[in-house]
Amino acid sequence: MTADALALTVRDLRKGFPDPGGRRVEVLRVDRLDLERGRTLAVVGESGSGKTTLLHVIAGILPADAGTVEIVGRPMTGLGETARDRLRAEHVGYLFQTFNLLSHLTALENVTLGMTFRPRAGTVPRRLAREALDRVGLSDRLAYRPPQLSVGQQQRVAIARALAGRPGLVLADEPTANLDAVRAKESLDLLLAFAEECGAAVLAVTHDDRALVRFQDRLTLGMGV
Amino acid sequence: MLSTSVAVLRLAWQSVRRRPLSSFLTALVVALGVALVVAVETVRASADRSFTETARGYDVILGPPQGSPLQIVLSTLFHVDEPPGTLPWSAYDAIRKDPRVAAAIPYAMGDTYRGHRVVGTVPAMFEVLTDGEGRALQDGMRGRLFGEGRFEAVVGSVVASRTGMGIGTTFGVSHGLVEGGQPHKERWAVVGVLRPTGTAHDRAISIPIATFYAIPGHTVPDQEEEARPLSAVGVRLKSPALRLLILQESRTGKAEAQAVLPADQVRKLMAIVGDVNQGVTIVAWIVTVVAAVSILVGLYNTIQGRRREIAVLRALGARPAHVFGLILLEALILCLVGGAFGLLLGHGAVAAAAPTLLGSYGVRVDVGIGGHDLQMLGALVVLGLLAGLLPAWRGLTTPVADNLQAEP
Ligand SMILES: Nc1ncnc2c1ncn2[C@@H]1O[C@H](COP(=O)(O)OP(=O)(O)O)[C@@H](O)[C@H]1O
Ligand SMILES: [Mg+2]
């Protein structure tokens, strides 16, 4: 990884799924996408346009059918499953619409879990997790479990989990869709500010017009596919 | 690498604790199976040891010519079964004078008092015979041994606790092993009570052999010493190696007695008893295996409800091996926690029952943790891993992308 490497580069990316008849249907096509560290990109497109699929392929959760994805200068495409998992653990933070916190773990354990599977995790994760929870204003809720937290607090835990390990890239799939307008704005403010402090690029799927204007770049999916 | 493994272990532990009731119940079934195995194994090992140690009391036993060797050993050493016949006093005299013999103990049996066998013998028997730990029977007894030719008796601990007999108690003896016979008019006084030894003598009443023949109604009352019939003679040799020679001489000599080797007979007996024991042990193991299967089924069923959790772990960078290991560890934790609890339970139950078994039944069980428990833990590790394999495989193959969208 070089210091000036882009957080994300995508070239000629293709992804399809078999339809019920077994024929392959292409749902995603991105010819070119570059995202520098510290920049923010909103992904828009109607439902079913492949936004979630794009995030999955970038994160290496799904393999690409064709094309290349590089995260902080390292190729994600062309790797086996385990190698993709490693790369994701090291350099990608993930934020979900439904937060996807584990309800039987405390806030601190949930945030720590975001760094547990890094190849050289060591003892740092717990310290970083505390710092991140402190940053999102939850230092007095470390031992709370998600059901004991408000929805807004849960999303802050999720933001802390996505950024605690200082990833080069944060992927967010409709992160504010489950929140009311006030909470959604607060949440987005927090995400963008925290990401900027960490020097992370943010790629977020969003439907919200008010949210859209907060991003520096925009990618619209579903046109021409 | 190490820290990730520790983290996965923590996750497994937290996962097991998340389902307290089902985890507790599955671990409990494992515990019961293991406790059963421990109890059965302990009793088996103790019985083995007790039989073998008791048989070691004599190198050779002289019995009546017509009985089976096993019957002679069982009736003489374990007070099981009736003596198969009699041998003449002269056989005892001859062996007693043999220079190769260290001790010869005569036995006359065939009477009971309140269900307990009355044994006519000599005081030296209490010195020659030992318990499972090598202590002479007379060690730690209350009172004293009976005097030769006097109407005195030494009773075992079980006799004392069951009948309430103690030092100073007097009693008369009925003839025959079956109860309800005519009580004899002679009365013996208890002068000694043995400590619990875990041998057949806990359940026996011993009297001087001369007084045994003084019992009226006996088949040969008041005869000359030479004509008195004996049930058996226990023989301790100066060197155990001589026993084969004695055995051979007995086969070629006069047919008034036969020599048997108690150690051989007990070995044969243990081979039979061992088969029965093995059956019980197998049943106990089946319980444990069923417990492992319940871990398998329980865990397998949880995976369906944990698809989102697994997908989240993968999205956070967990590799398939981590998910596999997580679920495998959950099975292992249930198996080992249950197993450890079962070992405690089994040994605890045996330890709790040991004084009663010894005091009331004359059965000594060895309390304590041994190499067998390590073997058991090893087997539990294997069982736990086997039980976790299928659920872990299901976790491993849980699709990630589809399950990240699921509702929380
Ligand atoms: N595992 C799959 N198998 C088949 N089709 C799929 C699968 N996942 C997604 N799709 C299809 O791909 C398209 C894009 O889905 P998605 O990326 O979730 O859209 P969006 O997030 O933009 O709403 C949809 O038409 C969806 O039906
Ligand atoms: Mg979507």
Side-chain angles (χ1 to χ4, degrees), chain A residues 3-223:
Chain A
D4 56 349
L6 291 172
L8 172 70
T9 59
V10 175
R11 295 287 179 274
D12 303 316
L13 186 65
R14 303 283 185 274
K15 181 67 183 175
F17 295 107
D19 70 5
R23 267 183 334 114
R24 190 181 156 281
V25 180
E26 186 164 282
V27 301
L28 180 65
R29 161 181 247 160
V30 176
D31 290 333
R32 183 189 174 91
L33 173 63
D34 291 319
L35 195 57
E36 288 173 31
R37 287 169 164 273
R39 280 195 80 83
T40 59
L41 171 84
V43 177
V44 296
E46 55 197 58
S47 183
S49 58
K51 304 182 295 293
T52 296
T53 303
L54 172 65
L55 264 55
H56 284 164
V57 173
I58 289 173
I61 290 170
L62 290 175
D65 292 342
T68 58
V69 172
E70 280 183 18
I71 311 282
V72 292
R74 300 178 172 201
M76 176 67 89
T77 43
L79 296 177
E81 190 177 23
T82 301
R84 296 202 308 270
D85 292 336
R86 282 209 177 88
L87 195 54
R88 175 167 68 256
E90 191 107 57
H91 298 295
V92 180
Y94 222 120
L95 200 55
F96 307 88
Q97 178 183 341
T98 53
F99 318 145
N100 277 338
L101 301 174
L102 299 190
S103 58
H104 65 292
L105 301 184
T106 64
L108 182 62
E109 287 164 347
N110 265 288
V111 175
T112 308
L113 201 58
M115 293 163 279
T116 293
F117 302 105
R118 296 184 148 189
R120 288 166 303 277
T123 52
V124 196
R126 249 182 136 67
R127 187 173 58 77
L128 291 179
R130 278 174 198 281
E131 286 173 13
L133 280 164
D134 193 31
R135 172 63 187 83
V136 301
L138 289 175
S139 47
D140 56 345
R141 294 286 186 277
L142 298 184
Y144 284 55
R145 291 169 212 283
Q148 301 165 327
L149 296 170
S150 73
V151 177
Q153 288 172 328
Q154 289 181 34
Q155 183 63 317
R156 275 145 71 191
V157 174
I159 290 169
R161 185 175 67 183
L163 279 157
R166 306 295 144 99
L169 175 67
V170 174
L171 303 172
D173 199 345
E174 307 193 32
T176 58
N178 270 20
L179 303 175
D180 61 51
V182 178
R183 225 74 57 183
K185 182 181 179 306
E186 283 174 7
S187 193
L188 192 61
D189 286 346
L190 182 61
L191 171 64
L192 294 176
F194 196 177
E196 192 175 7
E197 290 160 29
C198 299
V202 177
L203 187 157
V205 173
T206 183
H207 276 130
D208 186 349
D209 284 340
R210 276 169 299 184
L212 213 56
V213 297
R214 317 277 308 279
F215 289 84
Q216 295 159 333
D217 302 317
R218 182 187 302 190
L219 172 71
T220 306
L221 292 182
M223 318 246 278

Side-chain angles (χ1 to χ4, degrees), chain B residues 26-43:
Chain B
T26 27
L28 187 67
V29 181
V30 177
L32 291 179
V34 169
L36 203 58
V37 173
V38 167
V40 168
E41 271 305 313
T42 307
V43 171

Side-chain angles (χ1 to χ4, degrees), chain B residues 49-137:
Chain B
R49 210 167 83 113
S50 153
F51 269 91
T52 312
E53 284 298 326
T54 304
R56 212 170 280 169
Y58 296 124
D59 298 306
V60 175
I61 293 176
L62 289 187
Q66 62 271 35
S68 84
L70 183 59
Q71 199 180 356
I72 290 168
V73 171
L74 286 179
S75 64
T76 308
L77 285 180
F78 303 102
H79 302 166
V80 176
D81 213 346
E82 300 195 28
T86 59
L87 65 161
W89 189 274
S90 56
Y92 166 55
D93 263 343
I95 195 87
R96 171 163 66 162
K97 286 169 188 150
D98 192 313
R100 298 167 297 183
V101 170
I105 309 293
Y107 286 87
M109 298 177 288
D111 289 306
T112 64
Y113 173 70
R114 288 173 69 180
H116 294 286
R117 181 170 293 207
V118 175
V119 180
T121 184
V122 293
M125 182 196 76
F126 298 99
E127 197 186 325
V128 172
L129 289 184
T130 58
D131 68 1
E133 283 157 352
R135 276 180 83 190
L137 294 186

Side-chain angles (χ1 to χ4, degrees), chain B residues 59-382:
Chain B
D59 298 306
V60 175
I61 293 176
L62 289 187
Q66 62 271 35
S68 84
L70 183 59
Q71 199 180 356
I72 290 168
V73 171
L74 286 179
S75 64
T76 308
L77 285 180
F78 303 102
H79 302 166
V80 176
D81 213 346
E82 300 195 28
T86 59
L87 65 161
W89 189 274
S90 56
Y92 166 55
D93 263 343
I95 195 87
R96 171 163 66 162
K97 286 169 188 150
D98 192 313
R100 298 167 297 183
V101 170
I105 309 293
Y107 286 87
M109 298 177 288
D111 289 306
T112 64
Y113 173 70
R114 288 173 69 180
H116 294 286
R117 181 170 293 207
V118 175
V119 180
T121 184
V122 293
M125 182 196 76
F126 298 99
E127 197 186 325
V128 172
L129 289 184
T130 58
D131 68 1
E133 283 157 352
R135 276 180 83 190
L137 294 186
Q138 67 187 22
D139 278 11
M141 72 177 292
R142 280 185 290 124
R144 57 172 175 83
L145 296 177
F146 53 71
E148 298 243 31
R150 295 161 73 167
F151 281 80
E152 294 175 344
V154 170
V155 300
S157 57
V158 174
V159 176
S161 77
R162 290 242 181 104
T163 66
M165 290 166 88
I167 291 165
T169 310
T170 61
F171 62 98
V173 182
S174 64
H175 181 63
L177 281 175
V178 185
E179 268 184 86
Q182 193 75 19
H184 302 304
K185 61 175 189 279
E186 281 79 9
R187 295 192 73 78
W188 282 259
V190 177
V191 296
V193 179
L194 299 179
R195 72 171 199 286
T197 62
T199 69
H201 285 282
D202 290 354
R203 282 163 294 147
I205 299 169
S206 304
I207 59 174
I209 192 156
T211 68
F212 188 89
Y213 299 105
I215 298 171
H218 207 277
T219 41
V220 257
D222 301 325
Q223 289 185 14
E224 283 302 296
E225 193 175 63
E226 287 69 29
R228 288 172 179 171
L230 288 170
S231 302
V233 180
V235 181
R236 171 76 64 86
L237 297 168
K238 285 180 178 151
S239 159
L242 294 166
R243 68 192 192 284
L244 293 175
L245 195 62
I246 302 279
L247 188 70
Q248 210 164 4
E249 287 172 10
S250 139
R251 282 185 183 149
T252 54
K254 287 185 293 178
E256 57 180 19
Q258 68 169 318
V260 298
L261 304 181
D264 282 8
Q265 296 305 318
V266 164
R267 208 172 298 126
K268 270 189 218 166
L269 181 69
M270 291 322 291
I272 300 165
V273 176
D275 282 347
V276 177
N277 264 313
Q278 205 164 20
V280 182
T281 305
I282 286 170
V283 170
W285 270 110
I286 287 173
V287 173
T288 309
V289 169
V290 166
V293 172
S294 80
I295 291 180
L296 190 162
V297 173
L299 209 50
Y300 190 85
N301 286 335
T302 66
I303 305 300
Q304 173 74 10
R306 294 169 64 189
R307 286 174 305 170
R308 188 183 68 93
E309 174 196 337
I310 292 169
V312 170
L313 290 176
R314 294 294 311 279
L316 297 178
R319 306 196 271 281
H322 292 139
V323 173
F324 191 81
L326 170 70
I327 297 166
L328 211 56
L329 281 173
E330 289 179 27
L332 204 56
I333 287 171
L334 286 174
C335 221
L336 285 180
V337 168
F341 184 56
L343 287 179
L344 287 180
L345 196 69
H347 284 298
V350 167
T356 312
L357 285 175
L358 183 58
S360 307
Y361 300 96
V363 176
R364 180 193 295 282
V365 290
D366 309 317
V367 178
I369 291 170
H372 211 268
D373 297 305
L374 279 181
Q375 260 177 289
M376 184 96 200
L377 281 177
L380 284 170
V381 169
V382 173

